[in-house]
Amino acid sequence: MEDILHALGFVLIAGSAFLVVILAEAAYLRRQGKPDAYNLRESLANISTGFMYKMVDAAVVAVFITRFYDDVVKLGLQYTPANKWVGYGLLFLATDFMFFVAHVLMHKLRYAWCSHVTHHSSVRYNFSTALRQNFLFDLSGLVFVWCLPLALIGFDKMSVVLAIELNLFYQFFIHTEVIKRLPAWYEAIFNTPSHHRVHHGRNPAQIDTNFGGVLIVWDRLFGTFVDERDAGQIVYGISIRQPTTLNPLRLNLEEWFAMWGDVWRHKDLRILWKHPDWVEAQYPGARTLSGRSAAA
């Protein structure tokens, strides 16, 4: 129970800070003559999906930590760093790399995309967009792609929870158009608003790029990096069947129904693990309910 309270306490503190930043950005953009940068109904939908996601996430994390984590640690390397600061550094790198891996899977596999498309479905890009998440991410099992390798290495469970929350906390602040370019050295190492804007773009040069969480070095190493200056005009949203709803529940569930509808319609289970665009290429001309975002 203490683990749960610690996690919930962090979420409440972070959530309060997020709301303050969202209000500040909205007020700033209005003073800059950009009142359309925020839409009240859309912002409320974003906050609602974020709340739904964190409530489910808290429950899954609680069950995972109290029931599974220590057992999984016993099956792995049980790594214990001699120097705690070296351990923190390795945990930071491992946490960020495993996010990168999970994020790539979310864009490459239709099943995984269903839990991520919600985040890409906004045609606006502001701090509230960061909260536009899908509550089925944890229930789909994708969270374990992120957590289980860290347990198998042997990292302490509460350190892992904190590392993941801090990773997501950082990512909130890259969802803005207010910040243009940061110093060159920072842009070279870290994920920034400039890099993440490309990731949220729906034009061909922007799709499936810049998957990093805190660090952008993974994208540079694996060839998925695209500089904003080379990405062309960025248009946000989904390239196929842009949602017209601001109903938080529909934003979370529509792509799941679309995927299973495609499986039923085409009698093809490969749709589950193929690229989200595969069904359109495999069955040209067939009417599909699938949605495809630029790339989060």
Side-chain angles (χ1 to χ4, degrees):
M1 178 59 70
E2 186 177 355
D3 294 343
I4 301 173
L5 293 177
H6 285 162
L8 287 175
F10 185 89
V11 169
L12 289 174
I13 293 171
S16 299
F18 293 161
L19 290 177
V20 170
V21 172
I22 287 169
L23 291 172
E25 184 188 41
Y28 172 80
L29 290 170
R30 181 170 292 276
R31 288 197 303 271
Q32 295 296 310
K34 299 177 181 178
D36 294 335
Y38 269 86
N39 174 277
L40 179 59
R41 290 185 61 233
E42 182 178 67
S43 297
L44 290 175
N46 295 345
I47 293 169
S48 297
T49 58
F51 178 79
M52 293 163 65
Y53 160 70
K54 288 312 296 183
M55 290 303 97
V56 174
D57 179 66
V60 172
V61 168
V63 172
F64 173 69
I65 289 175
T66 57
R67 303 288 178 86
F68 301 117
Y69 194 94
D70 288 336
D71 291 334
V72 173
V73 167
K74 295 174 184 177
L75 301 175
L77 300 175
Q78 300 184 43
Y79 167 72
T80 302
N83 183 298
K84 68 175 183 179
W85 295 108
V86 171
Y88 292 151
L90 291 174
L91 175 58
F92 164 73
L93 291 174
T95 300
D96 201 59
F97 178 70
M98 290 315 305
F99 172 81
F100 173 82
V101 172
H103 199 178
V104 170
L105 293 177
M106 284 185 256
H107 281 259
K108 300 297 186 180
L109 308 180
R110 179 75 181 276
Y111 174 83
W113 174 246
C114 289
S115 291
H116 191 55
V117 62
T118 306
H119 184 60
H120 279 276
S121 61
S122 175
V123 296
R124 291 177 175 83
Y125 190 76
N126 54 50
F127 283 129
S128 78
T129 307
L131 305 183
R132 195 176 178 118
Q133 303 289 343
N134 194 305
F135 71 86
L136 291 175
F137 172 78
D138 290 304
L139 297 178
S140 71
L142 287 169
V143 67
F144 297 111
V145 175
W146 197 358
C147 295
L148 285 178
L150 302 177
L152 290 171
I153 292 171
F155 292 116
D156 170 71
K157 62 184 178 182
M158 286 313 300
S159 296
V160 167
V161 171
L162 183 59
I164 289 175
E165 292 297 343
L166 287 174
N167 191 285
L168 294 173
F169 184 79
Y170 176 90
Q171 290 186 53
F172 171 85
F173 294 97
I174 59 178
H175 290 81
T176 182
E177 291 186 309
V178 172
I179 300 171
K180 302 306 179 185
R181 300 281 297 187
L182 293 171
W185 68 267
Y186 196 92
E187 296 278 352
I189 300 172
F190 295 98
N191 199 3
T192 66
S194 175
H195 301 326
H196 205 58
R197 285 192 289 269
V198 178
H199 177 72
H200 272 260
R202 72 184 189 188
N203 288 331
Q206 300 145 18
I207 292 176
D208 291 347
T209 62
N210 298 1
F211 295 105
V214 175
L215 300 175
I216 202 65
V217 293
W218 312 122
D219 290 282
R220 295 184 185 277
L221 286 172
F222 292 101
T224 53
F225 175 73
V226 173
D227 193 285
E228 186 176 30
R229 293 168 293 190
D230 302 322
Q233 180 182 5
I234 296 177
V235 180
Y236 305 112
I238 299 173
S239 59
I240 298 175
R241 190 179 164 272
Q242 174 64 39
T244 58
T245 182
L246 288 175
N247 181 312
L249 197 58
R250 287 180 59 189
L251 287 172
N252 277 271
L253 297 177
E254 279 189 344
E255 180 64 13
W256 285 100
F257 284 113
M259 179 187 69
W260 289 113
D262 284 342
V263 170
W264 176 261
R265 184 177 306 106
H266 303 301
K267 305 297 187 290
D268 193 340
L269 284 174
R270 291 178 297 172
I271 290 170
L272 299 178
W273 61 82
K274 290 292 187 177
H275 192 277
D277 290 344
W278 181 81
V279 69
E280 285 84 14
Q282 183 71 10
Y283 301 100
R287 184 177 181 182
T288 177
L289 295 178
S290 67
R292 175 69 180 123
S293 137

